[in-house]
Amino acid sequence: MNDYSFIFVSDVCLKEISMKNNKPKYKLIIEAAVDVIAENGYHASQVSKIAKKAGVADGTIYLYFKNKEDILVSVFEEKMGQFIEQIAAATSQKETASEKLLTLISMHFGQLAANHHLAIVTQLELRQSNLSLRQQINRILKPYLGVIDGIIKEGIDENLFRSDINIPLIRQMIFGTLDETVTNWVMNEEKYDLVGLAPAVHDLITKGIKAS
Amino acid sequence: MNDYSFIFVSDVCLKEISMKNNKPKYKLIIEAAVDVIAENGYHASQVSKIAKKAGVADGTIYLYFKNKEDILVSVFEEKMGQFIEQIAAATSQKETASEKLLTLISMHFGQLAANHHLAIVTQLELRQSNLSLRQQINRILKPYLGVIDGIIKEGIDENLFRSDINIPLIRQMIFGTLDETVTNWVMNEEKYDLVGLAPAVHDLITKGIKAS
Amino acid sequence: MNDYSFIFVSDVCLKEISMKNNKPKYKLIIEAAVDVIAENGYHASQVSKIAKKAGVADGTIYLYFKNKEDILVSVFEEKMGQFIEQIAAATSQKETASEKLLTLISMHFGQLAANHHLAIVTQLELRQSNLSLRQQINRILKPYLGVIDGIIKEGIDENLFRSDINIPLIRQMIFGTLDETVTNWVMNEEKYDLVGLAPAVHDLITKGIKAS
Amino acid sequence: MNDYSFIFVSDVCLKEISMKNNKPKYKLIIEAAVDVIAENGYHASQVSKIAKKAGVADGTIYLYFKNKEDILVSVFEEKMGQFIEQIAAATSQKETASEKLLTLISMHFGQLAANHHLAIVTQLELRQSNLSLRQQINRILKPYLGVIDGIIKEGIDENLFRSDINIPLIRQMIFGTLDETVTNWVMNEEKYDLVGLAPAVHDLITKGIKAS
DNA sequence: TATGAATGAGCCTTCATTCAT
DNA sequence: AATGAATGAAGGCTCATTCAT
């Protein structure tokens, strides 16, 4: 994947550029939705508020999105897409599975720490949704879990990670730990340095809590 | 904690007895709320539906609860109270921190596996709430996190667990892993044996993922 | 039927009284709906406008009616019920089928001429409805068509009316003629004496247009 | 009327030819409107749906029609124009008023029976309209009522029909009977032979329901 | 204590119409 | 003449909460 990373990144840029040129309102609405949801919370985010923030008419929203839920799914899809691409690209540059894992943790923390609104939306607001939306979010999350699974498999192949525990369980531990850590950080009003926790979390995940 | 467990349990019993005798409708409403939310989901759980299930008038709800949110908080408070008490009591009977941790994991999984409705409500429905409710839920969760912290501290004192990582981080890993594992199990329609995963999860948490 | 007419009327009165005592808002809303629809037309009759006219809250409407369409159906049901009862009672007092037919025509014209708003609603506004509503209206109209059929049958038995044409066709002619006559009268702003037309219409229906 | 029929028909043809050549989209939209309304019902017939069916852009509609109501009026105008022309032409070929009346009834039934969509639109959908549209429809219907009046007058002159009842009343009976009969047939899903009823209806109208 | 009828604020979505291209 | 993206007003309905009984 290293060899293609140049093209990969170009491709993303092209996609982004064409997106912004062809569907400027789509992007406007997505960005407005992130801000409005982060500022007002999920339930107080009326479609009209998002439209106003995006500078379009209420009805215009429905030219680009099926309904209100579709706005939320699309927000997550767009943002998570970028999120995952960045992490996938960065981890692919690293050699060992352990380095890849550290990169993943650092970037997971880094990207959310760098985007206050996005962190609130993904960790708090987007979870206030019904089962149908949750399932769509899970679908979108799949590729990210796939990246984690890939790193675990590589680690097992390299004999860095143990092979006696099933991968889904390991993945649940990793994702659960990261997610819980970020949520705690958000709910504590982001008072401390989240990214700085990455090495310790990596250490904890790989070595566990047992004394040597 | 062992020393006080007698008093602790007595206190609980007294509270329970007085509750059930003096405020039978309070309990009725709590139980009805769990069922209604589990069956219909958070957003389709109107106050009137809970009242009907509880066999009381809509207005009666407001004699026992400040508002709808208060019902939800109370549901979590009541159920989590029992949940934590059970686990605290059981872990206190064990000798080593490692045994206590395994007990905690087994019971965490066991109690939710034994109560289908409660599992749905705590893992899925109760999260569809606003920030204020989330913060109250966190407050209620505090004692449980305290139990986990206690075990970690004991483990460090016994030199079973490492002391070079701060306790909140370890706690986040433990709770995050358990929570993510249960949520996955619920969202997979509880198809597999959750309690059976306890030893593997315990192993993973204590030893990490690094090959010996 | 003559013998029971006393009881029949009493029964109606009792029903009316109990109705008005037990569900005063139901009646209020029905009456308000007739007025609002007659004044504003079907599509400009917002639920909120009906509620305001009835002196109740918008939400109260939905305690008595399933939805907006249900208000309309109920209006027709209530008013048509009285309409039919009156005509059934009056025709039953007459001896011959011909007299009964004249009574029916006179009262059909008379009741609508006496109630300006009701005439507008039944002849114009209620027809602006979808198939489902139209079918419900037809169902409500059935008893009235049954009264007409009864008179035709009696007339045939008495050898007053011809028996060589099927009854539905005769009924369609009678109802179609009456309905068209009333609609024309309403659309001509009720400029002429509708009831005065009754004998001529009766004559026309019974004898046809052929010269002696 | 016979004398002028040549000019009348020529005029129609000229109008038709110039229409079809100069404004092809006008016709396209009219035909699309009939189909869309018949298939979807009046209220579900959005302008955009008609435009799509006609193969033109939404905005194009407004180059040919003032507004949505204008489309509907024009549909009725076009279709009713043909309807009336056909009947006027055919009746003018008959000798006696009685024959003309039978022809009118047969063709009224025949044309609607031959055009399923048109029957639904005229008998059911177009009636779901506001007073203003209803009045325009009545204006369009005038020439047809004129044809009926003409036949009645001829019949009276020929001493075939009675002269002791005013013509509007007779016309209302005739039109009301025909309309009611067709509407019943449409609402009964056109299960029986409508045209076959023509002689019996003619008989009923001319002779009335009185036995010999 | 308990009732439940009544309240009324609040919002997502549709769709006829416009206008810059 | 033709397009179709954009507009934005408008309204049916829900449901947490109240209060007279």
Side-chain angles (χ1 to χ4, degrees):
Chain A
M1 192 186 264
N2 283 338
D3 322 67
Y4 299 108
S5 60
F6 172 73
I7 295 165
F8 180 56
V9 172
S10 302
D11 190 47
V12 170
C13 291
L14 279 173
K15 185 185 158 202
E16 291 300 300
I17 288 162
S18 68
M19 267 297 195
K20 277 182 182 159
N21 287 350
N22 293 345
K23 297 200 169 188
K25 313 239 160 169
Y26 178 84
K27 280 280 173 195
L28 275 174
I29 295 165
I30 291 281
E31 298 305 326
V34 173
D35 289 353
V36 170
I37 295 170
E39 281 164 13
N40 303 281
Y42 176 79
H43 284 116
S45 294
Q46 300 92 329
V47 171
S48 61
K49 218 178 252 176
I50 296 173
K52 188 168 227 173
K53 183 95 176 188
V56 301
D58 290 18
T60 306
I61 299 268
Y62 292 87
L63 295 176
Y64 295 95
F65 302 92
K66 213 166 65 251
N67 50 32
K68 191 186 176 185
E69 186 174 300
D70 192 30
I71 305 176
L72 295 167
V73 173
S74 301
V75 163
F76 198 66
E77 212 155 22
E78 286 288 317
K79 293 299 175 182
M80 216 54 204
Q82 297 166 20
F83 183 93
I84 296 171
E85 277 164 16
Q86 302 275 348
I87 293 180
T91 56
S92 69
Q93 312 258 344
K94 300 294 172 182
E95 290 295 322
T96 69
S98 182
E99 283 173 324
K100 285 177 193 230
L101 183 59
L102 179 57
T103 302
L104 180 137
I105 296 169
S106 296
M107 291 194 68
H108 185 131
F109 289 175
Q111 295 203 49
L112 291 172
N115 195 336
H116 176 58
H117 279 181
L118 186 60
I120 292 175
V121 171
T122 60
Q123 300 306 123
L124 301 183
E125 303 304 340
L126 225 45
R127 320 225 161 169
Q128 302 172 35
S129 49
N130 55 37
L131 189 57
S132 135
L133 182 45
R134 289 288 284 275
Q135 285 169 336
Q136 294 195 65
I137 289 175
N138 273 355
R139 185 178 47 70
I140 296 168
L141 221 49
K142 271 264 166 68
Y144 187 52
L145 302 180
V147 171
I148 298 177
D149 283 1
I151 294 174
I152 298 169
K153 277 176 200 151
E154 279 183 53
I156 292 173
D157 290 346
E158 294 168 11
N159 212 32
L160 271 168
F161 298 155
R162 54 201 298 200
S163 59
D164 62 330
I165 294 183
N166 67 68
I167 292 174
L169 205 57
I170 296 178
R171 180 223 306 146
Q172 280 168 31
M173 183 190 67
I174 294 174
F175 185 79
T177 301
L178 300 185
D179 196 53
E180 180 70 16
T181 302
V182 177
T183 298
N184 266 286
W185 172 77
V186 171
M187 292 204 67
N188 278 301
E189 290 161 356
E190 314 183 356
K191 280 198 290 259
Y192 47 86
D193 175 28
L194 180 63
V195 184
L197 293 179
V201 171
H202 175 259
D203 191 63
L204 203 48
I205 288 172
T206 51
K207 297 189 197 146
I209 61 174
K210 190 161 262 172
S212 58
Chain B
M1 189 182 269
N2 282 335
D3 321 67
Y4 299 107
S5 62
F6 172 73
I7 296 165
F8 182 56
V9 171
S10 302
D11 190 47
V12 171
C13 290
L14 280 173
K15 184 183 158 202
E16 291 301 300
I17 289 161
S18 68
M19 270 300 195
K20 277 181 181 161
N21 286 352
N22 294 344
K23 299 199 171 186
K25 308 230 163 166
Y26 178 87
K27 280 282 172 195
L28 274 174
I29 294 165
I30 290 284
E31 296 306 325
V34 173
D35 288 352
V36 169
I37 294 171
E39 279 164 13
N40 303 282
Y42 178 79
H43 284 115
S45 294
Q46 299 89 334
V47 171
S48 62
K49 217 179 250 173
I50 296 173
K52 187 170 226 171
K53 184 94 174 189
V56 301
D58 291 17
T60 306
I61 299 268
Y62 291 85
L63 297 175
Y64 295 95
F65 302 91
K66 209 165 72 251
N67 51 32
K68 190 183 178 184
E69 190 174 294
D70 192 29
I71 306 176
L72 296 169
V73 172
S74 303
V75 162
F76 201 66
E77 212 155 22
E78 287 288 318
K79 292 300 175 183
M80 218 53 204
Q82 297 166 20
F83 183 92
I84 296 170
E85 279 160 17
Q86 302 272 350
I87 292 180
T91 55
S92 68
Q93 313 260 342
K94 299 294 173 182
E95 291 295 321
T96 67
S98 182
E99 283 173 327
K100 286 177 193 232
L101 183 58
L102 178 57
T103 302
L104 181 139
I105 296 170
S106 296
M107 290 193 68
H108 186 130
F109 289 175
Q111 294 203 49
L112 291 171
N115 194 336
H116 177 57
H117 279 183
L118 186 62
I120 292 175
V121 171
T122 60
Q123 302 306 122
L124 302 184
E125 305 301 341
L126 227 47
R127 319 224 161 171
Q128 304 172 35
S129 48
N130 55 37
L131 188 57
S132 135
L133 182 46
R134 289 286 285 275
Q135 285 168 336
Q136 295 196 66
I137 288 176
N138 272 357
R139 184 177 48 71
I140 296 167
L141 222 49
K142 272 262 164 70
Y144 187 51
L145 302 181
V147 171
I148 297 177
D149 283 1
I151 294 174
I152 298 169
K153 277 174 200 156
E154 280 184 53
I156 292 173
D157 290 347
E158 294 169 11
N159 212 30
L160 270 169
F161 298 155
R162 55 201 299 199
S163 59
D164 61 331
I165 296 183
N166 66 69
I167 292 174
L169 205 57
I170 297 179
R171 181 224 306 145
Q172 280 168 31
M173 182 188 69
I174 294 174
F175 185 78
T177 301
L178 299 187
D179 196 54
E180 179 72 16
T181 303
V182 177
T183 299
N184 267 286
W185 173 76
V186 172
M187 291 203 70
N188 279 302
E189 290 163 356
E190 315 183 355
K191 279 198 288 259
Y192 47 86
D193 175 26
L194 180 62
V195 184
L197 292 179
V201 171
H202 175 259
D203 191 64
L204 202 48
I205 288 171
T206 50
K207 298 191 195 144
I209 62 174
K210 190 161 263 173
S212 56
Chain C
M1 192 184 265
N2 282 336
D3 322 66
Y4 298 109
S5 60
F6 172 71
I7 296 168
F8 181 55
V9 172
S10 303
D11 190 48
V12 170
C13 290
L14 279 173
K15 184 185 160 202
E16 291 301 301
I17 289 162
S18 68
M19 267 299 196
K20 277 181 181 162
N21 286 351
N22 294 343
K23 297 202 170 188
K25 312 240 159 167
Y26 178 86
K27 281 282 172 193
L28 274 176
I29 294 165
I30 290 282
E31 298 305 325
V34 174
D35 289 352
V36 170
I37 294 171
E39 281 163 13
N40 303 282
Y42 175 78
H43 284 115
S45 294
Q46 300 90 329
V47 172
S48 61
K49 218 177 250 176
I50 296 173
K52 190 167 226 171
K53 183 96 176 187
V56 299
D58 291 19
T60 306
I61 299 269
Y62 293 88
L63 294 176
Y64 295 95
F65 302 92
K66 215 168 62 253
N67 49 34
K68 192 185 177 185
E69 186 174 300
D70 192 29
I71 305 176
L72 294 167
V73 173
S74 302
V75 162
F76 198 65
E77 212 156 21
E78 285 289 317
K79 293 299 176 183
M80 216 53 203
Q82 297 167 19
F83 184 93
I84 295 171
E85 277 165 17
Q86 302 275 348
I87 293 180
T91 56
S92 69
Q93 312 259 346
K94 301 295 173 181
E95 290 293 323
T96 67
S98 184
E99 284 171 325
K100 285 176 194 234
L101 184 57
L102 180 57
T103 303
L104 180 137
I105 296 170
S106 297
M107 291 193 68
H108 185 131
F109 289 175
Q111 295 203 51
L112 291 171
N115 194 335
H116 177 56
H117 279 181
L118 186 60
I120 293 175
V121 171
T122 59
Q123 301 307 122
L124 301 183
E125 304 303 339
L126 224 47
R127 321 229 160 167
Q128 303 172 35
S129 49
N130 55 38
L131 189 56
S132 135
L133 183 45
R134 290 286 284 274
Q135 285 169 338
Q136 294 195 66
I137 289 176
N138 273 356
R139 184 178 46 72
I140 295 168
L141 221 49
K142 270 261 165 71
Y144 187 51
L145 302 181
V147 172
I148 297 177
D149 283 3
I151 294 174
I152 297 170
K153 277 175 201 153
E154 279 183 52
I156 292 174
D157 289 346
E158 294 169 10
N159 213 30
L160 271 168
F161 298 153
R162 55 203 295 201
S163 60
D164 62 330
I165 294 184
N166 66 66
I167 293 174
L169 205 57
I170 297 178
R171 180 223 307 145
Q172 281 168 29
M173 184 190 67
I174 295 174
F175 185 78
T177 300
L178 299 186
D179 196 54
E180 181 70 18
T181 302
V182 178
T183 299
N184 266 287
W185 173 77
V186 172
M187 293 204 68
N188 279 302
E189 289 161 357
E190 314 183 357
K191 280 198 291 257
Y192 48 87
D193 175 27
L194 180 62
V195 184
L197 293 179
V201 172
H202 175 259
D203 191 64
L204 203 47
I205 288 171
T206 50
K207 298 193 196 142
I209 62 175
K210 189 159 261 172
S212 58
Chain D
M1 191 182 268
N2 281 336
D3 321 67
Y4 298 107
S5 63
F6 171 72
I7 295 167
F8 182 56
V9 172
S10 301
D11 190 47
V12 170
C13 290
L14 278 173
K15 184 184 158 201
E16 291 300 300
I17 288 163
S18 68
M19 270 299 195
K20 275 180 182 164
N21 285 352
N22 295 343
K23 301 201 171 187
K25 308 230 163 167
Y26 178 86
K27 278 282 172 196
L28 274 175
I29 294 164
I30 290 284
E31 297 305 325
V34 173
D35 289 352
V36 169
I37 295 171
E39 281 164 12
N40 303 283
Y42 177 79
H43 284 116
S45 294
Q46 300 88 336
V47 172
S48 62
K49 217 178 249 173
I50 295 172
K52 187 170 227 173
K53 184 94 173 190
V56 301
D58 291 17
T60 306
I61 299 266
Y62 291 85
L63 297 175
Y64 295 95
F65 301 91
K66 207 165 74 252
N67 50 32
K68 190 184 178 184
E69 190 174 294
D70 191 30
I71 306 176
L72 297 169
V73 172
S74 302
V75 162
F76 199 65
E77 210 155 23
E78 286 288 319
K79 293 299 176 182
M80 217 52 205
Q82 297 166 21
F83 184 92
I84 296 170
E85 280 159 19
Q86 302 272 349
I87 292 180
T91 56
S92 68
Q93 313 259 341
K94 301 292 173 182
E95 289 295 324
T96 68
S98 183
E99 283 173 325
K100 286 177 192 228
L101 183 58
L102 179 57
T103 302
L104 181 137
I105 297 170
S106 296
M107 290 194 68
H108 185 131
F109 289 176
Q111 294 203 50
L112 291 172
N115 194 337
H116 177 57
H117 278 183
L118 188 61
I120 292 175
V121 171
T122 61
Q123 301 306 122
L124 301 183
E125 304 302 341
L126 228 47
R127 319 224 161 168
Q128 302 172 36
S129 48
N130 56 38
L131 189 57
S132 136
L133 183 44
R134 289 286 286 274
Q135 285 169 336
Q136 295 195 64
I137 288 176
N138 272 357
R139 184 179 47 71
I140 296 167
L141 221 49
K142 273 262 165 70
Y144 186 52
L145 301 181
V147 172
I148 297 177
D149 283 1
I151 294 174
I152 297 169
K153 277 176 201 153
E154 280 183 52
I156 293 173
D157 290 346
E158 294 168 13
N159 212 29
L160 269 170
F161 297 154
R162 54 202 296 199
S163 60
D164 62 332
I165 295 183
N166 66 68
I167 292 174
L169 205 55
I170 297 179
R171 180 222 308 145
Q172 281 167 31
M173 183 189 68
I174 294 174
F175 185 78
T177 302
L178 299 188
D179 196 54
E180 180 71 15
T181 303
V182 177
T183 299
N184 266 289
W185 172 78
V186 171
M187 291 203 69
N188 279 302
E189 291 161 353
E190 314 184 355
K191 280 198 291 257
Y192 47 85
D193 175 28
L194 180 63
V195 184
L197 293 179
V201 171
H202 176 259
D203 191 64
L204 203 48
I205 288 171
T206 51
K207 296 189 198 145
I209 62 174
K210 191 160 261 174
S212 62

